[in-house]
Amino acid sequence: MADDPNAAVLDLDDIQSGVLRPRPSPYAATYILLRIDAPRDGRELLRRLSQVVTSAAAPDRPGRDTWVSVALTFEGLQALGVPQASLDSFAWEFRQGMTARASALGDVGPSAPAHWEAPFGGPGVHLILVGVAPDTASLEGALGRARAAFADLAGIVPIWRQDCHAPPDEKEPFGFKDGISHPAIEGSGIPGSNPLETPLKAGELVLGYPDEMGGLPPAPQPQVLGLNGSYVVFRKLHQDVAAFRRYLRDNAKGAGDEELLAAKMMGRWRSGAPLALCPLHDDPALGADASRNNAFLFRDDDATGYKTPPGSHVRRCNPRDAEVAGVVRLHRMIRRGTVYGPPLPAGALEDDGADRGLMFAFVGAHLKRQFEFVQSEWVNGGEFLGLQDAVDPVTGSADGTGSYTIPRRPLPRKVHGLARFVTTRGGAYGFMPGLRALRWLADLRDAPP
């Protein structure tokens, strides 16, 4: 669908490219965490990075699929010396941080912060640099410019790095094509992946513009700090591929049924073809067609879920026009996943000890009603679907006692003993400032003694 001619005009020159632009395919990506030991060095770093970070303007420019983004945690803003009045104006969830929100997010048991990979969950995670490009050479060029911005600053300390890559088949570790769904945002000039959906109001993703409620989302103050910024959630998610494969084997009647069960749990076949458009068999050509593989809704053609089960991962994370408790559009956000670690060899049913999974970034203007709501109510709950306490069969916080129901005539199919296949290894809440805000932060002065 086309943008509303009355939609707000986005200041794309001031918005980081990483807020609005979907990652390229194929891709290479790197996440770097930095600690700020000296406020002045931190501010000088932001001054330099404001010349490295790419804006969302000129979507047809050469090299548009290569960018560097920068986000600051609440502790990072404190380390820069941001005035207390400004700190107090940030969203409450952001000020608390992901570690304090762990229970609400389902980060319990093996996903609890006590088990996270250092330095996540501890002090000193101040700034998050993300580089994304279509290939390693372009990525290294962009990262080289970012690293040069802090190479001579003694008060800036790199503390963690995660390299990601697109596997040759462009699938995530469980074997499903990834990176398919991307909402259209009014005024961005960047099309969404579902032509049947109305573009989201810009204020759902970027601060300073009306959101789906018709008002301006609460933004950090002064205005220059919040305008054109976004909140971002970073998550390192380890995937137990061997356990997922064993679960399919133990609950299916042969190889063909394994693939059907996997599709019913995910909501798509491994090729990316959606059950909504091909419920009986895979269609790799459809899965590979970006103009068709996300062009579907649920209400008129699959209200009951005979094609795409209501509890499947795809339908939980974006119920689209399905009848659910609440307004779906108020909980939309941008999701970006990048694969890390080597693939588990085909057919292997035992874990080889390698770390593999997805680095996820969730971008939006409302941490509470977007990421936190989806994680707690849709992924780790089932009340909104009338499924009581059932969790997402792929990414939910299962404990081995739950079950998953697949609508089917004449009787539904139910599989039991749902295990945890995805474990949180770390994460942080960040704020991605606009480019003018980066310069404003760079111009801060030390508080008087």
Side-chain angles (χ1 to χ4, degrees):
M1 293 185 177
D3 279 357
D4 182 342
N6 299 316
V9 177
L10 294 183
D11 186 359
L12 298 176
D13 287 304
D14 194 41
I15 299 170
Q16 293 193 43
S17 184
V19 171
L20 297 176
R21 182 165 297 285
R23 63 161 171 75
S25 182
Y27 64 84
T30 292
Y31 296 75
I32 299 174
L33 302 184
L34 301 174
R35 189 181 73 235
I36 300 170
D37 287 345
R40 292 184 183 181
D41 282 356
R43 299 194 289 265
E44 177 59 24
L45 171 62
L46 293 187
R47 185 187 314 283
R48 297 175 183 181
L49 286 177
S50 70
Q51 305 301 315
V52 175
V53 171
T54 308
S55 80
D60 296 326
R61 62 178 170 78
R64 64 186 181 276
D65 289 334
T66 297
W67 69 79
V68 172
S69 297
V70 59
L72 291 149
T73 66
F74 184 69
E75 285 187 345
L77 293 166
Q78 290 177 311
L80 286 172
V82 172
Q84 191 62 45
S86 292
L87 293 173
D88 291 343
S89 66
F90 281 87
W92 180 70
E93 297 78 20
F94 173 71
R95 285 182 279 147
Q96 278 206 312
M98 188 181 293
T99 303
R101 306 293 295 159
S103 179
L105 299 175
D107 287 336
V108 297
S111 287
H115 305 299
W116 286 1
E117 180 178 320
F120 291 111
V125 178
H126 292 160
L127 190 146
I128 303 150
L129 277 176
V130 183
V132 180
D135 54 73
T136 301
S138 299
L139 176 64
E140 285 305 313
L143 285 179
R145 293 188 291 276
R147 285 194 293 265
F150 61 83
D152 63 338
L153 297 176
I156 304 299
V157 182
I159 56 176
W160 184 86
R161 172 173 174 154
Q162 183 69 65
D163 294 318
C164 301
H165 61 279
D169 59 6
E170 298 187 32
K171 295 181 178 179
E172 51 77 54
F174 289 147
F176 294 90
K177 183 177 175 64
D178 194 31
I180 293 174
S181 182
H182 179 80
I185 300 104
E186 282 190 348
S188 71
I190 300 171
S193 57
N194 188 349
L196 305 177
E197 287 185 330
T198 303
L200 286 174
K201 295 294 184 183
E204 290 298 310
L205 287 308
V206 186
L207 298 171
Y209 304 89
D211 60 17
E212 291 286 326
M213 301 288 284
L216 296 177
Q221 297 299 313
Q223 184 182 40
V224 66
L225 176 58
L227 184 62
N228 293 316
S230 298
Y231 289 106
V232 60
V233 178
F234 295 100
R235 306 269 280 177
K236 180 173 181 178
L237 303 176
H238 171 76
Q239 295 178 242
D240 191 340
V241 178
F244 184 70
R245 291 177 181 175
R246 290 195 304 270
Y247 188 82
L248 295 176
R249 179 201 62 186
D250 294 345
N251 289 275
K253 302 173 182 177
D257 192 43
E258 280 189 39
E259 289 304 302
L260 176 61
L261 178 57
K264 289 292 186 179
M265 292 170 70
M266 179 62 72
R268 292 183 183 273
W269 299 92
R270 294 188 200 260
S271 71
L275 288 172
L277 300 180
C278 51
L280 302 179
H281 55 79
D282 196 359
D283 184 345
L286 172 60
D289 188 342
S291 68
R292 296 189 298 142
N293 63 15
N294 202 43
F296 62 91
L297 299 172
F298 293 123
R299 178 180 296 176
D300 293 337
D301 197 37
D302 193 25
T304 304
Y306 287 125
K307 294 180 179 178
T308 311
S312 64
H313 176 72
V314 162
R315 193 155 173 172
R316 279 176 178 270
C317 292
N318 181 13
R320 304 184 188 225
D321 63 337
E323 292 286 352
V324 299
V327 180
V328 170
R329 290 174 65 83
L330 297 184
H331 310 297
R332 293 299 306 280
M333 55 190 161
I334 290 177
R335 299 177 179 86
R336 296 201 186 93
T338 49
V339 172
Y340 72 86
L344 185 68
L349 295 174
E350 296 299 329
D351 187 57
D352 60 0
D355 188 18
R356 60 177 59 86
L358 287 170
M359 281 296 300
F360 251 113
F362 303 83
V363 181
H366 302 271
L367 279 174
K368 180 67 174 178
R369 73 165 165 86
Q370 291 173 326
F371 172 72
E372 290 201 347
F373 180 92
V374 170
Q375 187 69 16
S376 63
E377 302 298 326
W378 288 1
V379 172
N380 288 318
E383 290 292 342
F384 80 109
L385 295 164
L387 298 178
Q388 289 74 48
D389 59 353
V391 304
D392 186 311
V394 178
T395 65
S397 300
D399 61 6
T401 63
S403 60
Y404 177 57
T405 301
I406 301 169
R408 186 179 63 175
R409 297 183 180 93
L411 295 173
R413 178 181 182 179
K414 182 174 285 192
V415 291
H416 300 278
L418 197 62
R420 183 192 292 264
F421 306 118
V422 176
T423 303
T424 306
R425 287 284 172 84
Y429 285 165
F431 178 68
M432 294 180 68
L435 272 67
R436 282 193 294 270
L438 284 177
R439 294 189 286 271
W440 182 85
L441 289 165
D443 289 336
L444 290 172
R445 294 291 180 263
D446 290 333

